[in-house]
Amino acid sequence: MLVDSPPEQCAETAPAPPTRRAIRAFGLLISVAILVAVALASIAVGAKELSLDQVWHGLFEDSGTYGDVVVAERLSRTLLGLLAGAALGLSGAVLQALTRNPLADPGLLGINAGASAAVVTAITFLGVTSLSGYVWFAFFGAAAVGALVWFLGGSRGATPVRLALAGTAISAALYGYLQAVMIMDDAALGRMRFWTVGSLSSADDSTVTQVLPFLAAGMILALALARPLNAMAMGDDTAKALGANLNRTRALSMLAATVLCGAATAACGPIVFVGLMVPHVVRSFTGPDLRWILPYAAILSPVLLLGADVIGRIVARPSELQVGILTALLGGPVFIFLVRRRRTAQL
């Protein structure tokens, strides 16, 4: 006569299912591996065809050949793509949490518009012509607009709706100023045309060095805000009950988003949709927990940016298609899909 095993023994012998936390951690490792592969492709593949031997020598030997020079340029370009992509992804995720709008992006608060207006002002009225000059004007323009949005949004009494409305109004005014100046000054139009598209092709060591401190500080601050932003997502009253300081969290979130997006925009120009698409897609498989959304966004956003940059170098050989064009072409249909899916879910 067979006797069934006690339930306790069955529970002990059955393999434990993987926890969601373990699955997320494994997915994060896979994302890192994908990022490494895309970064290597960014160094090895370009508008100018190089052999793997030339790429190897360019990375690890300093012989001064043509291939070495090209690889050095690609290395700076890849580093900037890694930093700028992570910055745009993190800033988008923080702003979506801050405004409680999963379709928000860094442009919502006027940060891109502030950087662009500062650059066109520097070109037209101050005669700035170098990328190293653009970086500082663009960064301070973004910072000034971020502070203005925070002030107009109510400062300590700021709410997500007020911040979004203030950012939209300022963006409209600044883009009007931008178009007026560019129409009146043909030289400014010619110099701005390349920067406003959004590109990594002008990256060099000095550009990376200039924006690195700001990006590093912004990334650390954004990652540190995961817990208080999680609390705010449950509502202001619940967040207060959990001990979250709403005013401080909103102020620091604005600061982190402004520093990250401002520095990335200063170095690369206004690249759209990266900060919108990646956090939104990440949220679909991580859930609403920002402790996972932020790291995933910081890793997968550079995958999108560098991947688009590599494609742009290949499809238009021997010329290049700038990365800002490709992210816009990809982001438009994706944005429409996300809006339609969100609308369907609400019905």
Side-chain angles (χ1 to χ4, degrees):
M1 180 176 177
L2 297 176
V3 179
D4 292 337
S5 300
E8 293 80 1
Q9 293 181 4
C10 296
E12 290 177 0
T13 57
T19 64
R20 189 171 185 181
R21 185 184 186 90
I23 294 173
R24 289 169 173 172
F26 180 72
L28 207 59
L29 292 176
I30 297 297
S31 300
V32 171
I34 295 172
L35 178 59
V36 171
V38 172
L40 292 175
S42 178
I43 297 172
V45 180
K48 302 177 179 65
E49 295 189 33
L50 297 177
S51 66
L52 291 178
D53 184 64
Q54 287 176 305
V55 173
W56 179 267
H57 282 285
L59 284 173
F60 300 106
E61 297 183 12
D62 186 17
S63 58
T65 64
Y66 170 76
D68 296 343
V69 174
V70 173
V71 170
E73 293 175 354
R74 290 182 188 172
L75 184 59
S76 296
R77 184 171 182 165
T78 302
L79 290 174
L80 183 59
L82 290 171
L83 292 170
L88 292 173
L90 283 173
S91 63
V94 168
L95 288 177
Q96 287 173 14
L98 175 66
T99 60
R100 297 174 191 167
N101 180 1
L103 299 180
D105 75 332
L108 180 68
L109 298 185
I111 297 172
N112 287 344
S116 299
V119 170
V120 77
T121 299
I123 290 173
T124 304
F125 301 109
L126 302 177
V128 178
T129 58
S130 65
L131 180 62
S132 60
Y134 296 167
V135 167
W136 294 107
F137 279 95
F139 178 75
F140 286 117
V145 169
L148 183 60
V149 168
W150 175 249
F151 174 76
L152 294 178
S155 187
R156 290 184 175 275
T159 63
V161 174
R162 288 181 180 179
L163 291 174
L165 290 175
T168 301
I170 293 173
S171 292
L174 289 178
Y175 278 125
Y177 163 78
L178 185 70
Q179 295 300 321
V181 172
M182 292 174 66
I183 289 173
M184 293 187 296
D185 189 343
D186 292 337
L189 176 60
R191 289 192 291 269
M192 277 290 294
R193 183 171 52 191
F194 182 77
W195 185 84
T196 53
V197 166
S199 173
L200 298 175
S201 59
S202 298
D204 55 28
D205 293 341
S206 65
T207 305
V208 174
T209 302
Q210 285 176 330
V211 299
L212 179 58
F214 298 102
L215 293 177
M219 290 177 190
I220 293 172
L221 178 58
L223 293 171
L225 289 169
R227 288 184 181 276
L229 285 173
N230 274 344
M232 285 180 57
M234 293 184 285
D236 289 357
D237 293 337
T238 303
K240 289 179 181 178
L242 293 173
N245 188 319
L246 300 184
N247 292 327
R248 183 176 62 189
T249 301
R250 286 174 179 147
L252 292 177
S253 298
M254 278 289 299
L255 177 61
T258 299
V259 170
L260 288 170
C261 185
T265 302
C268 309
I271 297 176
V272 297
F273 286 118
V274 174
L276 164 67
M277 287 189 292
V278 176
H280 192 86
V281 172
V282 164
R283 193 179 294 105
S284 66
F285 59 85
T286 64
D289 191 345
L290 282 158
R291 292 174 299 175
W292 290 100
I293 292 175
L294 293 176
Y296 266 102
I299 293 171
L300 293 179
S301 295
V303 171
L304 173 62
L305 189 61
L306 286 177
D309 190 44
V310 171
I311 293 172
R313 302 180 214 175
I314 297 173
V315 296
R317 281 177 173 171
S319 183
E320 294 186 14
L321 195 61
Q322 303 305 324
V323 66
I325 297 174
L326 282 170
T327 56
L329 290 174
L330 175 64
V334 171
F335 182 75
I336 294 172
F337 169 75
L338 294 176
V339 172
R340 287 183 61 85
R341 190 178 71 169
R342 178 173 170 81
R343 181 180 177 185
T344 302
Q346 291 176 342
L347 293 178

